Structures are given as structure tokens and as C-alpha cells.
Amino acid sequence: MTLLVAAVIVALEGLIALGLGIYVGVEAAVGRPESMTSAVAEAGFGLLVGAGLLWVAWGGLFKLERWGRSPSVLAQIFVIPVAITLINADRPALGIPLLAVALAGLGVLLAPPTTKALYGEER
């Protein structure tokens, strides 16, 4: 059950990153960004991260592949400083939920039931 929760969290993070990448790309195409280079880079990064997280969730965690946990844990670790930066930048409405999701993701990814589901019984 915890592995399913972890996979759902990673998949939702992937969908959000993908959505943000699409949003920034559309805004750059129809609007006037301050820096087109930055807007294109942010859109591309969002698309790549989103697609990568969806691949990890679907191809790794949902299919009980051991390799899926490492990139998922790494993604949660990368999200924590972003959330803290948002909180420090007076954006707690974005930072606090992001921090909560990252910590919950780490918790379920590193939980003993997840380890057992991915690696089997300890010897």
C-alpha cells in the first residue's frame, strides 16, 4: 500500500511539472516574457522533469522495479530546498504544501513496507 502511495505522489509531481512546463511554454509563445531564453529553458526543464517523473512512477514504482525508488527519493530531496526557498520568499501557500508532499513522499518511499515490496524479505 505504501508503494502505491509513493507511486501516486511521484506521478502527481510529474503531472504538475509537466503541466507547469506546458504552461510556461504557452505563456512564452503567446506573451512577452522578460527573457525568451529563460522561458524556453524553464518550459523545457518542466517538460523533461515531468516526463521523467511519470516514467519513474509508471515504469518503476507501479511495476515494482527496484530502480524506481532511487530517482524518486532524489526528486523528493531536490524538492525540499525549493519548498524552503518558496517559504523564505514569502510564498508559504506554495512552499508549505510542497514541503509536506516532499516529506510524505520521502516517508513512504523509505518506509519498511516499500522496501519489502521492492526488495523482498531481509536475509
Side-chain angles (χ1 to χ4, degrees), residues 17-38:
L18 196 64
L20 288 173
I22 292 169
Y23 174 78
V24 170
V26 169
E27 285 295 309
V30 296
R32 291 179 180 243
E34 289 184 29
S35 170
M36 183 59 81
T37 304
S38 293

Side-chain angles (χ1 to χ4, degrees), residues 49-122:
V49 168
L53 287 173
L54 287 171
W55 175 64
V56 166
W58 182 256
L61 297 176
F62 280 124
K63 294 184 178 180
L64 300 176
E65 296 287 340
R66 293 178 183 174
W67 63 264
R69 183 158 82 167
S70 294
S72 299
V73 168
L74 190 60
Q76 306 315 305
I77 291 171
F78 284 154
V79 167
I80 291 171
V82 172
I84 292 170
T85 300
L86 286 168
I87 293 168
N88 291 336
D90 293 328
R91 303 296 301 257
L94 296 173
I96 292 171
L98 188 60
L99 183 60
V101 168
L103 292 175
L106 273 176
V108 295
L109 283 164
L110 299 175
T114 301
T115 302
K116 184 177 178 182
L118 291 174
Y119 296 99
E121 295 291 329
E122 291 186 28

